[in-house]
Structure formats: structure tokens, C-alpha cells
Amino acid sequence: KAGVTQTPRYLIKTRGQQVTLSCSPISGHRSVSWYQQTPGQGLQFLFEYFSETQRNKGNFPGRFSGRQFSNSRSEMNVSTLELGDSALYLCASSPVRTTSTGELFFGEGSRLTVL
Amino acid sequence: GQQLNQSPQSMFIQEGEDVSMNCTSSSIFNTWLWYKQDPGEGPVLLIALYKAGELTSNGRLTAQFGITRKDSFLNISASIPSDVGIYFCAGQLDNAGNMLTFGGGTRLMVKP
């Protein structure tokens, strides 16, 4: 079974630009979550999508947004990039269950560098 | 927001030694999870705990969900070189979907 696939793996942007990251979940998984990982703040929850609807949102500014498509693939977008947005962005998928268990399957991440 | 305090931040041990790390919170969580992250990879789930007081094993790993629901520990017995990595605890609130709060991580280094 293929794992969670994130593209691109690495990218460099300059301040003020915007970026779109893509995530393909494990086949059959309908929940997709995004996390930001930095040395200073650690792993922080961005948002979760389930059946194309945002189910939860973390404490990030409105420059961070996401969406999910009918095939469960997800994208996140960061507009007006700042230096502090440099991070590893991790996508995680989770199978459909009656209740969420927190059992996440993570991709390898997209490493964003903002210059 | 919730904070998870994970300790120690790093450990350098000899192969064969046992390892213990823990996580504490000022808030109650309904689920505690332990993940491991290798360099260049995303975190991988090791153990999930769903009930206060629960003790669960996965091979050489044992984890417990604290009675107060505000803490958890992870033990690794007879460490081997491939145990090297960063271990994260994570807490999940009820009705929070897959929104997890992560600890700061414990970096484990094993000397052969």
C-alpha cells in the first residue's frame, strides 16, 4: 500500500511570495491533517480536512489555508510568505472511523525555505 | 493552548540499556500517542493509549497512560542502534478530530 505522498519535497521562495503544497493520502483514507514542524516551535497543528470540509483549525494566521478534493487529495497554501514560515510541512492521513483515534500516517514532508 | 512538556530533551545511552521518557500536561487528554521520527522522514506511530491507567506494549516498547490523564511515559528496553531518532508524545482531546498536541521531543542517541 503506497504511503502518504507530498510534493514538492523541497522548495525555496522569497518573502512576499505564495506557495502551494500538495498531499496524496493513503488510498481509502479520507482525513488529511497538516502540521508545521520547526526547531523552535516543534510540531504544530495547522488544519484537518475530512470529506472536503475543514474539521479543525490550529492557531495560525489567515495566510495559511487549505482544501481537500473529492478524491481526498489535499493542498495547503501560504500567501505573503514570511521568513518565519520556513519549516517542514507534514501531511498526515487517517482512515475513516466512527471517531478519530489520533493514529496518523505521515508523509515525508515538504521543506520550505523562505529567503 | 495546551502544552506538553516532554523530558528529557536528549539522551545518549549505551546499546543494551533501557530508556525512559515522559510527558506531562496541564490539561487532560483523552488519548496519548507516541511517535518516532527518523531523519528525513515523517513521524511514525509507535503506541496509542486510550484509557487512563492503560499499559500497552509493542515489542521492546512499553507505554502507560497516566491515571490523572495528564501524563504518559514510554520505556524502551534493551536499546539497539536503530532506536536512534526523535520520540514525540502527543495528546488528543475528545471531539478534536485528528488535532494533536505534540511534546517537544526526546532525541535518543545509542552508542554501539
Side-chain angles (χ1 to χ4, degrees):
Chain A
K1 201 176 197 180
V4 176
T5 304
Q6 292 188 244
T7 57
R9 290 290 314 278
Y10 302 91
L11 65 167
I12 300 173
K13 294 284 187 178
T14 56
R15 277 181 298 175
Q17 287 187 312
Q18 67 96 27
V19 66
T20 299
L21 308 177
S22 180
C23 173
S24 293
I26 292 172
S27 177
H29 287 193
R30 285 166 57 190
S31 166
V32 173
S33 305
W34 289 88
Y35 286 80
Q36 181 196 64
Q37 186 173 28
T38 60
Q41 299 298 318
L43 277 155
Q44 292 189 292
F45 173 79
L46 280 157
F47 24 66
E48 179 191 7
Y49 288 87
F50 180 78
S51 292
E52 303 177 64
T53 301
Q54 187 179 86
R55 186 154 73 167
N56 288 291
K57 189 176 194 307
N59 190 25
F60 278 84
R63 300 185 297 107
F64 292 81
S65 63
R67 59 178 175 167
Q68 186 180 33
F69 302 96
S70 59
N71 62 359
S72 294
R73 192 176 69 84
S74 177
E75 289 181 348
M76 66 163 283
N77 184 79
V78 188
S79 62
T80 320
L81 284 166
E82 300 177 0
L83 295 179
D85 297 333
S86 295
L88 181 67
Y89 290 89
L90 290 160
C91 170
S93 73
S94 183
V96 176
R97 287 210 175 98
T98 306
T99 57
S100 299
T101 61
E103 296 176 18
L104 303 180
F105 294 80
F106 283 89
E108 293 179 316
S110 292
R111 183 165 295 282
L112 171 66
T113 301
V114 182
L115 301 176
Chain B
Q2 291 86 14
Q3 295 277 338
L4 289 188
N5 299 308
Q6 188 171 346
S7 63
Q9 286 188 343
S10 64
M11 302 179 75
F12 188 38
I13 62 168
Q14 194 78 32
E15 182 178 358
E17 288 183 354
D18 296 344
V19 171
S20 186
M21 58 192 79
N22 69 83
C23 241
T24 59
S25 169
S26 56
S27 302
I28 289 173
F29 286 100
N30 292 310
T31 302
W32 281 91
L33 308 110
W34 286 90
Y35 284 84
K36 181 192 177 199
Q37 187 174 27
D38 291 330
E41 310 268 335
V44 173
L45 180 66
L46 298 174
I47 291 180
L49 302 152
Y50 300 106
K51 208 170 168 181
E54 179 183 356
L55 185 73
T56 297
S57 293
N58 178 8
R60 293 178 297 105
L61 278 59
T62 302
Q64 183 156 31
F65 190 145
I67 285 290
T68 64
R69 294 161 67 193
K70 292 184 177 181
D71 63 319
S72 177
F73 73 74
L74 174 71
N75 286 343
I76 305 173
S77 63
S79 58
I80 59 178
S82 62
D83 290 334
V84 165
I86 304 177
Y87 292 79
F88 293 97
C89 61
Q92 182 197 33
L93 294 169
D94 203 15
N95 299 319
N98 285 313
M99 180 172 66
L100 302 183
T101 300
F102 280 86
T106 295
R107 182 181 295 274
L108 179 63
M109 294 159 279
V110 179
K111 184 178 179 183

